[in-house]
């Protein structure tokens, strides 16, 4: 018997019986997801170190922008301009359409969205003051390579900010709406989780999202590893792995912090937020991971010399 499925099934049926089996509205369509991104951005971006200080009049690039709700929010914080870039052509098209929702016409003109190919063709190296990778580093095969590509886009002295999750985060499998089992990646194998997913999406209580196939189980066929999660590759990096990726990058200095839980959303867990500052334990106990990297003001080429190796990453929080 698949214990992962048994627990997930019991949770879903409990929620159904207690009228709590409500579809997450943000998952229903692109418009709702964009609105969720935009509305949650103020509290989220407050956690990005000194980002709010760097934004005014900055030229910003948002790498892995998706539908662009967070990108559009950044444009309203005083940035000179904001470019959102993503590998997904259809989402870039949607993002360009959805930015028209912004009520301030001046803010709309500050934002543009491009595919990775369009960005590469526009020769924008060393044009940006600030770069962001929001919840995207866990979805790339080589985080260091992506950081180095971002490095090239920044002006000397530019700053890169990112947010992500470690692999032992309570929702690291990215199937939390299907398998609502906290820390599934700690207790269950990929096979157990994926087998449970295929069973849950075929149950009457499962409410499909905009990303699902028809039937929902179709897109999960022949998937044997969470590395190959359909639509969202997962690299399974731990916090320690992201720290090593930062140290191996071309940036001259950086800091990383594991964020605890908010008292509003998780009042009980918040009492134990000191655990997010404890090595090893923080791999499991964190709500998110935030990084800040600085490009050497005197080294525009992006190559390290023997005297310009990355400084040891500072541990914050």
């Amino acid at each position: 018997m698949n214990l992962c499925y048994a627990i997930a099934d019991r949770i879903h049926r409990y929620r159904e019986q207690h009228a709590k089996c409500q579809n997450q509205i943000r998952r229903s369509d692109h418009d709702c997801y964009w609105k969720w991104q935009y509305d949650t951005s103020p509290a989220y971006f407050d956690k990005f170190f000194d980002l709010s200080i760097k934004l005014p009049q900055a030229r910003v690039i948002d790498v892995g922008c998706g539908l662009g709700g967070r990108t559009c929010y950044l444009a309203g914080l005083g940035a000179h301009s904001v470019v959102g870039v993503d590998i997904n052509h259809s989402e870039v098209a949607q993002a360009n359409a959805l930015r028209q929702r912004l009520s301030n016409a001046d803010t709309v003109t500050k934002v543009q969205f491009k595919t990775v190919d369009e960005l590469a063709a526009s020769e924008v190296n060393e044009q940006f003051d600030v770069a962001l990778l929001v919840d995207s580093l866990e979805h790339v095969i080589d985080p260091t390579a992506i950081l180095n590509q971002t490095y090239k886009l920044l002006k000397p002295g530019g700053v890169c900010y990112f947010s992500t999750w470690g692999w032992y985060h309570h929702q690291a499998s990215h199937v939390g709406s299907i398998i609502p089992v906290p820390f599934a990646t700690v207790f269950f194998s990929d096979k157990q989780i994926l087998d449970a997913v295929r069973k849950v999406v075929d149950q009457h209580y499962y409410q499909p999202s905009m990303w699902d196939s028809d039937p929902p189980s179709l897109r999960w066929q022949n998937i044997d590893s969470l590395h190959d999660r359909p639509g969202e590759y997962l690299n399974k990096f731990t916090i320690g792995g992201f720290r090593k990726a930062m140290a191996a990058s071309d940036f001259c200095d950086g800091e990383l912090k594991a964020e605890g839980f908010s008292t509003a959303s998780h009042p009980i867990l918040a009492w134990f937020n000191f655990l997010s500052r404890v090595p090893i334990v923080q791999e499991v106990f964190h709500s998110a991971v935030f990084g800040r990297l600085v490009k050497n003001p005197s080294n525009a080429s992006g190559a390290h010399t023997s005297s310009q190796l990355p400084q040891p990453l500072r541990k914050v929080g």
Side-chain angles (χ1 to χ4, degrees), residues 164-217:
T164 187
W165 291 344
W167 182 241
Y168 299 114
H169 181 274
H170 61 95
Q171 294 188 46
S173 66
H174 283 62
V175 292
S177 62
I178 305 172
I179 306 297
V181 181
F183 304 106
T185 56
V186 176
F187 298 109
F188 301 106
S189 68
D190 284 19
K191 184 179 186 307
Q192 289 173 307
I193 294 171
L194 289 165
D195 284 348
V197 166
R198 283 185 276 267
K199 291 181 180 180
V200 167
V201 297
D202 279 338
Q203 301 303 315
H204 71 277
Y205 52 67
Y206 178 70
Q207 298 181 355
S209 74
M210 61 181 173
W211 296 289
D212 275 312
S213 56
D214 185 16
S217 58

Side-chain angles (χ1 to χ4, degrees), residues 54-55 57-63 71 79-85 110-114 118-120 122-132 149-161 251 293-295:
K54 296 289 185 179
L55 281 177
Q57 296 307 307
R59 296 180 185 272
V60 182
I61 184 164
D62 182 9
V63 181
T71 317
H80 176 276
S81 59
V82 185
V83 175
V85 59
K110 289 183 178 181
V111 185
Q112 58 178 312
F113 293 97
K114 297 182 178 182
E118 290 171 337
L119 184 76
S122 59
E123 297 182 356
V124 292
N125 282 357
E126 298 197 346
Q127 286 194 12
F128 299 97
D129 305 292
V130 172
L132 289 105
Q149 291 175 25
T150 304
Y151 179 98
K152 295 176 182 178
L153 297 171
L154 289 169
K155 297 176 182 177
V159 185
C160 171
Y161 301 89
F251 287 92
L293 292 154
V294 182
K295 182 170 182 174

